[in-house]
Amino acid sequence: MTDRNPPTTVPRTIGRILFALLFVAAGIYHFQETIGFAAMLPDFVPLRKWIIWISGVAEWILAILLFVPPIRKKMGIMISIFLIAIFPANIYSAIMNIPMPGQHYTPPIYLWLRLLVQPLFIWWIMWATSVPKDKR
């Protein structure tokens, strides 16, 4: 195989498909629950609704680009950077006890547990976009 079509495995492909579906759904949810997502940003942040809409569209684009083999690994890195960039909003939500979008109340333990999910997402996408060791 060439760099234009780096080797992968069926489990990694399934992982990318599931992650892409998650990102597409999250992007849609950014438009359905804009106010809830905007609440996750401090009041001093300008254009909060626009930031939410742009991040939703970014999730769609990143999900699609996961299926372009020559840039697959780069997309894993870009998605990881994106997840790190939005992590402060989750921290702010946990500290300020801001409910998850679409909810009137979220038990604080869930807001704090959500912080543990972000590193798992990063591991997931980095694994799913990497070339298996036995195929390097």
Side-chain angles (χ1 to χ4, degrees), residues 29-99:
Y29 204 52
H30 277 66
F31 286 87
Q32 291 176 332
E33 293 294 337
T34 302
I35 293 171
F37 279 101
M40 295 173 65
L41 301 174
D43 290 337
F44 67 81
V45 175
L47 306 169
R48 292 186 305 161
K49 287 183 181 177
W50 279 98
I51 290 170
I52 299 308
W53 294 330
I54 291 167
S55 64
V57 171
E59 288 173 334
W60 295 337
I61 293 168
L62 291 168
I64 292 166
L65 292 176
L66 274 175
F67 299 101
V68 180
I71 61 170
R72 181 186 305 141
K73 186 172 177 78
K74 287 180 181 147
M75 286 302 98
I77 294 167
M78 293 300 296
I79 290 169
S80 296
I81 291 168
F82 177 82
L83 291 169
I84 291 166
I86 64 171
F87 192 65
N90 291 336
I91 294 170
Y92 177 77
S93 294
I95 291 169
M96 301 304 291
N97 201 26
I98 297 168

Side-chain angles (χ1 to χ4, degrees), residues 117-131:
V117 173
Q118 209 89 349
L120 292 175
F121 283 163
I122 291 169
W123 173 85
W124 175 6
I125 197 59
M126 291 302 293
W127 170 80
T129 58
S130 67
V131 174

